[in-house]
Amino acid sequence: MKTKSRPPRRRAPPQNTEAPPGEQAPERPQPARGLRSRTARAQGARAEGGRRRPGPAGQAGRRESSVQRRLESNERERQRMHTLNNAFQALREVIPHVRADKKLSKIETLTLAKNYIKSLTATILTMSSGRLPGLEGPGPKLYQHYQQQQAAGAAPEAQPEGHLHKYSTQIHSFREGS
DNA sequence: TAGGCCATCTGGTCCT
DNA sequence: AGGACCAGATGGCCTA
């Protein structure tokens, strides 16, 4: 895995939607000076060939309403992906990791989150099944759930210390930018 | 320059 | 029927 410290890339509003300019999402940044927007680039790419080239029915003969539906669908898909990316960003912000200057990739975020959750679970289990006699509620249930997971053959390395070690190792590997 | 990561478009499928 | 979801394709940006 490579180290990345690049600034967030700018996204541009769609160039080809029928929506009036006033309806552009305000949070959408303008394209960097001198750069074509992604939408424009994609449209260019479509014109240049590849899978996105309109089929025979889609060139001059495609009905206006069909084109309109496609544009609306594109916009919804864009919004959906923005929502997904916002969720990724929110997740990044609650996962402790060493290099705050380095933005975690999506796969790194998911992997780190998974192991972070496992390490927290292991920590809670250690506390609830051990030295906290007064603890009632989630502790024993959590422990039962954990044992069931183990019995179901979850992760072979799934020992409480193992999760913490794995998470810690992962953090360090990110620190070194590997 | 290669490889990783990403945004976007697109068509198919699922769901309400 | 229409929207949500998904995965493939594509090309740009960035770093090593």
Side-chain angles (χ1 to χ4, degrees):
Chain A
M1 199 67 72
K2 278 192 309 188
T3 301
K4 297 179 297 304
S5 58
R6 78 178 96 111
R9 274 185 285 170
R10 292 176 175 278
R11 277 168 280 123
Q15 306 286 301
N16 200 22
T17 58
E18 306 291 329
E23 289 185 13
Q24 299 292 347
E27 73 275 13
R28 240 182 255 158
Q30 293 303 307
R33 208 192 331 246
L35 293 179
R36 293 164 69 206
S37 71
R38 284 200 169 273
T39 302
R41 279 190 262 119
Q43 285 166 350
R46 198 187 324 147
E48 289 158 14
R51 191 169 170 271
R52 272 166 278 160
R53 188 204 313 268
Q59 301 199 341
R62 197 187 242 186
R63 286 170 42 199
E64 187 116 1
S65 63
S66 173
V67 172
Q68 176 66 24
R69 271 207 310 277
R70 209 343 116 186
L71 292 175
E72 289 169 357
S73 179
N74 289 350
E75 176 63 19
R76 281 193 302 273
E77 177 67 6
R78 229 178 289 129
Q79 291 302 320
R80 195 181 72 84
M81 296 309 296
H82 291 170
T83 302
L84 184 62
N85 288 337
N86 287 342
F88 266 104
Q89 185 54 38
L91 187 56
R92 281 184 191 105
E93 288 169 5
V94 297
I95 302 173
H97 65 286
V98 176
R99 294 192 55 175
D101 61 316
K102 170 186 173 288
K103 181 184 176 187
L104 294 173
S105 71
K106 291 179 179 179
I107 186 66
E108 286 169 347
T109 300
L110 291 178
T111 306
L112 208 48
K114 181 195 75 174
N115 290 307
Y116 183 49
I117 290 168
K118 284 186 172 182
S119 74
L120 289 181
T121 302
T123 301
I124 292 168
L125 283 174
T126 301
M127 296 174 72
S128 63
S129 64
R131 297 190 170 262
L132 293 176
L135 183 66
E136 292 183 358
K141 261 189 181 174
L142 191 60
Y143 190 61
Q144 285 173 17
H145 173 74
Y146 188 81
Q147 286 184 320
Q148 284 170 6
Q149 293 254 317
Q150 302 288 52
E157 81 285 355
Q159 299 300 321
E161 342 52 271
H163 294 311
L164 192 56
H165 179 261
K166 190 170 179 179
Y167 177 63
S168 170
T169 301
Q170 208 164 28
I171 283 180
H172 281 85
S173 75
F174 288 154
R175 183 205 312 215
E176 289 162 12
S178 57

